[in-house]
Amino acid sequence: MMIKRRIRSLADQISVLALLATAALPLPSVSAWGSSGNSDFDSSIYGMSKQRDWMSESTSISLKFEGCVWGYVNDRENMGCMDDESGDGTTYWYMMANCRRAQAAYSMYATSSGSTSCNKRDFKESFVTKDGVSEFVYNIGTYGYSPPVTADDVDSLPICEYDGSQYYYGTGCSSSGQFTIDLFSDAYCTQFYQTADYLSNFNSAMKSLNKCYNTYSSKTDEDPSYSLASILVSESGHCSQAESSLCKSNDFVQNSGSYSSSSGQRAAARFTSGSGSFTNNLKYGLGFAMMLGTLIMFVGILFTNRKKRRAMMHRKFRHSGGESTSGRSKARSKSKSKSKSSRKLKKKRDASRGQSSPREGSGGGIFA
C-alpha cells in the first residue's frame, strides 16, 4: 500500500506541474475579424492574398502568359452559367454551380531594383483569371503599354451560345493550353463534345505575352495600385501546379508557409523559429510529461495489485496446507493412543494369566 500511494502521489505531482506550466505559457494573440489587433502582427502567413507586399515594393512588374486553363468563374450569370432560379432541376443546378470557362493563366515577375526580365529569381506568383479570357485581353488592351492584343481580338469569341441545331458552342481550351472554339452537348457548355475551331490567329497574338510583358514601371506609373498589374491581380485567383500544369508554385505554397524570405515572410519565420518554436516545444514536452506520469501511475497500480493478489494466493495455499497437516497429525496421535491402550490391555491379560497358573500346580500336588 505504501508503494502504491507513493507512485500515485508522484504521478499526480507530475501532471499538476505540467498543467500549471502549460497554462502559464503565453499564447500568440490573433485579432478577431474587424478588430485592429496588434500592430506588430503580420497576417501574411494565412494565404497568398496576404503575400503580395512585392506589388507595393517593386519598381518593375511584368507578366508572362502561360496558356489557357479551364477554370471556375466569378460571375456565373454573366458567363452563361446561372439563371435567375433553379427551376431546371438538381442536375442542371449542379452544372451551374460548377460552371467553368476558358481562363488565362499567367505568372507575375517583379523586382525592387531596375527592370525585371521574367527570370526565375524575380518570380512571385501564378494567377488564373476569373472572368474569362475576353476580360483579360480587354484589360491589357485598355491599360497596357503597346498591347499586342486588344478588345477587337476577342469580340467574336463566344461564351456559350446555341448553334441553331443541337449543340452549344463557346470558347474552350485544348490539352496543350491553346484557346479553341468547342461544341458542347448541354445548354451551360459544361459537357464537351468536340473542337470546332483552333483559333490559330488569336493564339499567335497571345504568344506575344509569353516573352515578358511589362505591366508596371516606376518610371512611368506613379502608383502600382492603379497599374495594369494591380487590375489583373484583383480580378484573378492564385494558381499552382496542383491546379494546372501551366501554373508555377512559388516557395510559399511549396513550403506551406514554413520558409522565410525578404518580403511577406516575416510572420512565418517568427512562428517557425525563435520564441514561438521554443514555446511549442516546451508545451509538447510538458504534455509528454503528463502522459508519462499517467503511464507511471497505471503501471504502479497494476504492479501493486499483482503483488497483492500473489500474497493472497500464498496465504490461501499456506492456510489450506496447515489444515491438512493438522488433520494428519491428529489421525496419527489417535492411532498411537489406540495402540498404546491395546498394548496395556494385552499386558494386563498376560499378567492375570501368569498369576493363575502356579495356584493350579500347587493344588494338584497336595491332593496327590
Side-chain angles (χ1 to χ4, degrees), residues 245-361:
S245 60
L246 298 176
C247 297
K248 300 177 181 178
S249 299
N250 58 12
D251 294 338
F252 178 83
V253 176
Q254 291 176 351
N255 299 328
S256 302
S258 61
Y259 81 111
S260 61
S261 59
S262 58
S263 62
Q265 318 305 330
R266 295 182 295 273
R270 183 166 59 249
F271 272 78
T272 56
S273 62
S275 59
S277 178
F278 173 76
T279 303
N280 290 335
N281 291 336
L282 183 58
K283 288 182 178 180
Y284 293 146
L286 292 174
F288 177 77
M290 295 175 65
M291 184 178 67
L292 181 61
T294 304
L295 180 62
I296 291 174
M297 183 172 62
F298 174 76
V299 172
I301 294 173
L302 184 64
F303 180 73
T304 52
N305 288 340
R306 184 178 179 183
K307 290 182 65 177
K308 187 176 179 180
R309 288 195 300 269
R310 291 179 63 182
M312 292 178 63
M313 292 175 66
H314 283 303
R315 285 198 298 268
K316 183 177 180 181
F317 291 149
R318 193 181 302 115
H319 181 66
S320 61
E323 288 182 350
S324 61
T325 305
S326 61
R328 287 194 297 269
S329 60
K330 288 181 179 179
R332 285 197 298 267
S333 61
K334 288 182 179 180
S335 62
K336 288 180 180 180
S337 61
K338 288 181 179 180
S339 61
K340 286 181 180 180
S341 60
S342 61
R343 285 196 298 268
K344 288 180 180 180
L345 183 59
K346 187 176 181 180
K347 287 180 180 180
K348 289 182 179 180
R349 290 177 179 174
D350 293 340
S352 60
R353 289 176 182 175
Q355 290 177 359
S356 60
S357 56
R359 289 177 184 173
E360 293 175 356

Side-chain angles (χ1 to χ4, degrees), residues 106-122:
Y106 61 95
S107 298
M108 282 294 191
Y109 298 81
T111 181
S112 58
S113 60
S115 300
T116 178
S117 58
C118 295
N119 53 40
K120 185 177 180 180
R121 184 182 65 255
D122 295 337

